[in-house]
PDB file of all heavy atoms in Angstrom:
ATOM      1  N   SER A 111     207.483 159.253  45.001  1.00 98.00           N
ATOM      2  CA  SER A 111     207.881 158.199  44.022  1.00 98.00           C
ATOM      3  C   SER A 111     206.816 157.101  44.003  1.00 98.00           C
ATOM      4  O   SER A 111     206.658 156.380  43.006  1.00 98.00           O
ATOM      5  CB  SER A 111     209.256 157.634  44.381  1.00 98.00           C
ATOM      6  OG  SER A 111     209.250 157.106  45.686  1.00 98.00           O
ATOM      7  N   ASP A 225     213.488 151.411  41.494  1.00 98.00           N
ATOM      8  CA  ASP A 225     212.877 152.162  42.577  1.00 98.00           C
ATOM      9  C   ASP A 225     213.979 152.482  43.597  1.00 98.00           C
ATOM     10  O   ASP A 225     214.420 151.596  44.337  1.00 98.00           O
ATOM     11  CB  ASP A 225     211.758 151.280  43.210  1.00 98.00           C
ATOM     12  CG  ASP A 225     211.040 152.028  44.318  1.00 98.00           C
ATOM     13  OD1 ASP A 225     211.182 153.267  44.392  1.00 98.00           O
ATOM     14  OD2 ASP A 225     210.384 151.365  45.123  1.00 98.00           O
ATOM     15  N   TYR A 228     216.369 155.467  48.340  1.00 98.00           N
ATOM     16  CA  TYR A 228     217.454 155.503  49.313  1.00 98.00           C
ATOM     17  C   TYR A 228     218.804 155.704  48.644  1.00 98.00           C
ATOM     18  O   TYR A 228     219.866 155.491  49.255  1.00 98.00           O
ATOM     19  CB  TYR A 228     217.435 154.238  50.178  1.00 98.00           C
ATOM     20  CG  TYR A 228     216.067 154.015  50.799  1.00 98.00           C
ATOM     21  CD1 TYR A 228     215.208 153.060  50.265  1.00 98.00           C
ATOM     22  CD2 TYR A 228     215.603 154.831  51.845  1.00 98.00           C
ATOM     23  CE1 TYR A 228     213.915 152.886  50.784  1.00 98.00           C
ATOM     24  CE2 TYR A 228     214.331 154.659  52.348  1.00 98.00           C
ATOM     25  CZ  TYR A 228     213.514 153.699  51.835  1.00 98.00           C
ATOM     26  OH  TYR A 228     212.210 153.538  52.328  1.00 98.00           O
ATOM     27  N   SER A 255     213.124 159.966  44.897  1.00 98.00           N
ATOM     28  CA  SER A 255     212.245 160.541  45.923  1.00 98.00           C
ATOM     29  C   SER A 255     212.979 161.616  46.698  1.00 98.00           C
ATOM     30  O   SER A 255     214.163 161.477  47.002  1.00 98.00           O
ATOM     31  CB  SER A 255     211.819 159.432  46.904  1.00 98.00           C
ATOM     32  OG  SER A 255     211.089 160.006  47.976  1.00 98.00           O
ATOM     33  N   SER A 257     211.596 162.380  49.577  1.00 98.00           N
ATOM     34  CA  SER A 257     211.030 162.151  50.900  1.00 98.00           C
ATOM     35  C   SER A 257     212.106 161.874  51.978  1.00 98.00           C
ATOM     36  O   SER A 257     211.969 162.229  53.114  1.00 98.00           O
ATOM     37  CB  SER A 257     210.121 160.934  50.888  1.00 98.00           C
ATOM     38  OG  SER A 257     208.984 161.245  50.118  1.00 98.00           O
ATOM     39  N   ARG A 265     205.615 165.508  49.422  1.00 98.00           N
ATOM     40  CA  ARG A 265     205.123 164.550  48.406  1.00 98.00           C
ATOM     41  C   ARG A 265     205.724 164.865  47.018  1.00 98.00           C
ATOM     42  O   ARG A 265     204.986 165.156  46.071  1.00 98.00           O
ATOM     43  CB  ARG A 265     203.599 164.526  48.325  1.00 98.00           C
ATOM     44  CG  ARG A 265     202.916 164.137  49.643  1.00 98.00           C
ATOM     45  CD  ARG A 265     203.446 162.890  50.339  1.00 98.00           C
ATOM     46  NE  ARG A 265     203.384 161.678  49.546  1.00 98.00           N
ATOM     47  CZ  ARG A 265     204.414 160.840  49.369  1.00 98.00           C
ATOM     48  NH1 ARG A 265     205.611 161.145  49.860  1.00 98.00           N
ATOM     49  NH2 ARG A 265     204.251 159.758  48.651  1.00 98.00           N
ATOM     50  N   ARG A 394     210.864 143.649  60.285  1.00 98.00           N
ATOM     51  CA  ARG A 394     211.587 144.859  59.896  1.00 98.00           C
ATOM     52  C   ARG A 394     211.549 145.911  60.986  1.00 98.00           C
ATOM     53  O   ARG A 394     210.473 146.245  61.495  1.00 98.00           O
ATOM     54  CB  ARG A 394     211.005 145.461  58.615  1.00 98.00           C
ATOM     55  CG  ARG A 394     211.798 146.622  58.030  1.00 98.00           C
ATOM     56  CD  ARG A 394     211.034 147.416  56.989  1.00 98.00           C
ATOM     57  NE  ARG A 394     210.116 148.341  57.646  1.00 98.00           N
ATOM     58  CZ  ARG A 394     209.435 149.289  56.977  1.00 98.00           C
ATOM     59  NH1 ARG A 394     209.492 149.353  55.653  1.00 98.00           N
ATOM     60  NH2 ARG A 394     208.595 150.084  57.615  1.00 98.00           N
TER      61      ARG A 394
HETATM   62  C1  09M B 501     211.296 151.252  48.331  1.00 51.27           C
HETATM   63  C2  09M B 501     210.325 152.399  48.455  1.00 51.27           C
HETATM   64  N1  09M B 501     209.792 152.900  47.320  1.00 51.27           N
HETATM   65  C3  09M B 501     208.929 153.944  47.348  1.00 51.27           C
HETATM   66  C4  09M B 501     208.554 154.508  48.553  1.00 51.27           C
HETATM   67  C5  09M B 501     207.598 155.692  48.514  1.00 51.27           C
HETATM   68  O1  09M B 501     208.275 156.890  48.858  1.00 51.27           O
HETATM   69  P1  09M B 501     207.694 158.323  48.486  1.00 51.27           P
HETATM   70  O2  09M B 501     208.673 158.947  47.574  1.00 51.27           O
HETATM   71  O3  09M B 501     207.544 159.043  49.808  1.00 51.27           O
HETATM   72  O4  09M B 501     206.341 158.147  47.802  1.00 51.27           O
HETATM   73  C6  09M B 501     209.051 153.975  49.755  1.00 51.27           C
HETATM   74  C7  09M B 501     208.610 154.565  51.079  1.00 51.27           C
HETATM   75  N2  09M B 501     208.512 153.592  52.123  1.00 51.27           N
HETATM   76  C8  09M B 501     207.713 153.763  53.173  1.00 51.27           C
HETATM   77  C9  09M B 501     206.832 154.841  53.248  1.00 51.27           C
HETATM   78  C10 09M B 501     205.979 154.932  54.433  1.00 51.27           C
HETATM   79  C11 09M B 501     205.074 155.974  54.545  1.00 51.27           C
HETATM   80  C12 09M B 501     204.254 156.057  55.710  1.00 51.27           C
HETATM   81  C13 09M B 501     204.351 155.122  56.684  1.00 51.27           C
HETATM   82  C14 09M B 501     205.249 154.048  56.578  1.00 51.27           C
HETATM   83  C15 09M B 501     206.047 153.955  55.449  1.00 51.27           C
HETATM   84  N3  09M B 501     206.959 152.898  55.313  1.00 51.27           N
HETATM   85  O5  09M B 501     207.073 151.937  56.296  1.00 51.27           O
HETATM   86  C16 09M B 501     207.772 152.778  54.219  1.00 51.27           C
HETATM   87  O6  09M B 501     208.573 151.812  54.122  1.00 51.27           O
HETATM   88  C17 09M B 501     209.984 152.933  49.691  1.00 51.27           C
HETATM   89  O7  09M B 501     210.514 152.419  50.802  1.00 51.27           O
END
Side-chain angles (χ1 to χ4, degrees):
S111 58
D225 182 17
Y228 306 103
S255 172
S257 292
R265 301 310 301 130
R394 187 195 80 173

